[in-house]
């Protein structure tokens, strides 16, 4: 049984909906992009990776194919049922404590932009708690205009359309974002709360958790390699 829906999050469409409004069937259809290549280029070969918020394993499976050992964590049991070949852990990322460490901790899917500041803080503490000495945290940020270039849409080569319909302020610096995914045979929607972070705000949030940016991995600065301040 899934946990209750997170406040301000909802989703519609065929199949099970996770606590943050994601549809399991939708994410099982979405292709993986170039993220696994970005990750593979930034970490040691065959590294042990803790993937926080793995979903159905789109990146998990691609990383396994590249020779990494992956532990996949998600709060949705329905999502984790789709993961193959990796150890899976079901539970909220912000409260995770496995009592072990990893070469790489991966916090993708814009999770660092959680609308609830305490959830974000908990996620970053989870990253630090599970990081082996000399390891790194890889974080995926929103693009600079994610909340302002709205509405917008993208037609994927696979034959579906993604629309960010709106991003409306709901107070305390948080937006309610509404997205649509339109396939020839089905449509899904997701509404979620996200907190825009400037580069400076993002780096301040990392510093609060004892992390610092070692380098930005992509030109748009959406992928970041961070390390503990004590390692610099």
């Amino acid at each position: 049984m899934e946990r209750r829906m997170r406040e301000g999050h909802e989703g519609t469409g065929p199949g099970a909906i996770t606590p943050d409004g994601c549809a399991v069937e939708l994410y099982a259809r979405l292709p993986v992009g170039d993220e696994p290549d970005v990750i593979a280029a930034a970490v040691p070969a065959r590294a042990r990776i803790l993937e926080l918020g793995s979903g159905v394993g789109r990146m998990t499976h691609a990383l396994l194919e590249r020779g990494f050992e992956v532990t996949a964590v998600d709060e949705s049991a329905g999502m984790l049922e789709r993961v193959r070949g990796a150890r899976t852990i079901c539970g909220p990322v912000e409260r995770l404590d496995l009592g072990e460490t990893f070469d790489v901790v991966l916090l993708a899917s814009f999770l660092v932009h959680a609308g609830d500041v305490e959830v974000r803080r908990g996620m970053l503490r989870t990253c630090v708690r599970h990081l082996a000495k000399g390891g790194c945290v890889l974080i995926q940020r929103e693009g600079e205009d994610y909340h302002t270039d709205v509405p917008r849409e993208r037609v994927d080569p696979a034959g579906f359309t993604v629309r960010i319909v709106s991003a409306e302020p709901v107070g305390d610096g948080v937006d309610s974002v509404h997205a649509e995914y339109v396939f020839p045979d089905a449509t899904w929607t997701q509404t979620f709360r996200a907190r825009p972070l400037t580069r400076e705000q993002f780096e301040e949030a990392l510093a609060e958790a004892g992390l610092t940016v070692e380098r930005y991995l992509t030109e748009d600065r959406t992928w970041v390699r961070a390390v503990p301040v004590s390692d610099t």
Side-chain angles (χ1 to χ4, degrees):
M1 180 179 296
E2 297 286 8
R3 297 170 63 248
R4 65 183 180 84
M5 198 70 67
R6 288 180 180 264
E7 183 180 0
H9 295 245
E10 62 180 330
T12 67
I17 304 295
T18 70
D20 59 356
C22 295
V24 175
E25 294 298 330
L26 166 64
Y27 277 81
R29 292 188 182 199
L30 295 179
V32 67
D34 62 356
E35 291 95 340
D37 293 329
V38 173
I39 295 164
V43 303
R46 311 194 71 81
R48 295 182 69 237
I49 298 177
L50 177 64
E51 183 186 3
L52 303 175
S54 66
V56 297
R58 288 183 301 148
M59 283 202 290
T60 315
H61 299 142
L63 292 170
L64 290 170
E65 290 171 0
R66 288 160 172 77
F68 297 104
E69 178 186 334
V70 184
T71 294
V73 178
D74 202 276
E75 67 179 353
S76 167
M79 288 282 194
L80 290 175
E81 287 175 0
R82 306 297 183 100
V83 176
R84 298 290 180 266
R87 171 192 180 196
T88 59
I89 305 290
C90 187
V93 168
E94 64 269 25
R95 297 202 293 270
L96 185 72
D97 190 352
L98 300 180
E100 59 184 291
T101 58
F102 298 79
D103 305 314
V104 179
V105 180
L106 179 60
L107 188 68
S109 302
F110 311 143
L111 291 178
V112 75
H113 291 272
D116 187 325
V117 171
E118 289 306 315
V119 169
R120 182 191 71 205
R121 287 172 173 156
M123 289 179 174
L124 290 174
R125 286 194 295 266
T126 293
C127 292
V128 173
R129 184 163 52 242
H130 292 89
L131 194 60
K133 185 174 179 56
C136 66
V137 181
L138 299 189
I139 301 172
Q140 185 182 26
R141 302 171 61 222
E142 295 172 342
E144 300 291 341
D145 59 354
Y146 187 88
H147 292 253
T148 56
D149 179 20
V150 178
R152 66 181 182 274
E153 74 173 38
R154 174 179 64 84
V155 178
D156 192 273
F160 62 93
T161 300
V162 182
R163 298 190 182 106
I164 304 299
V165 179
S166 60
E168 299 294 335
V170 293
D172 189 33
V174 178
D175 288 346
S176 176
V177 180
H178 182 71
E180 296 178 352
Y181 300 82
V182 182
F183 286 72
D185 62 337
T187 296
W188 287 270
T189 73
Q190 182 183 8
T191 301
F192 58 95
R193 291 187 178 178
R195 181 179 296 274
L197 297 172
T198 65
R199 181 175 175 178
E200 292 75 19
Q201 290 169 331
F202 167 71
E203 293 182 0
E204 287 171 2
L206 294 192
E208 183 184 36
L211 293 168
T212 187
V213 173
E214 184 183 69
R215 67 181 187 272
Y216 288 91
L217 302 174
T218 52
E219 285 189 13
D220 60 6
R221 296 193 294 274
T222 57
W223 276 96
V224 185
R225 178 180 161 114
V227 295
V229 173
S230 59
D231 289 355
T232 58

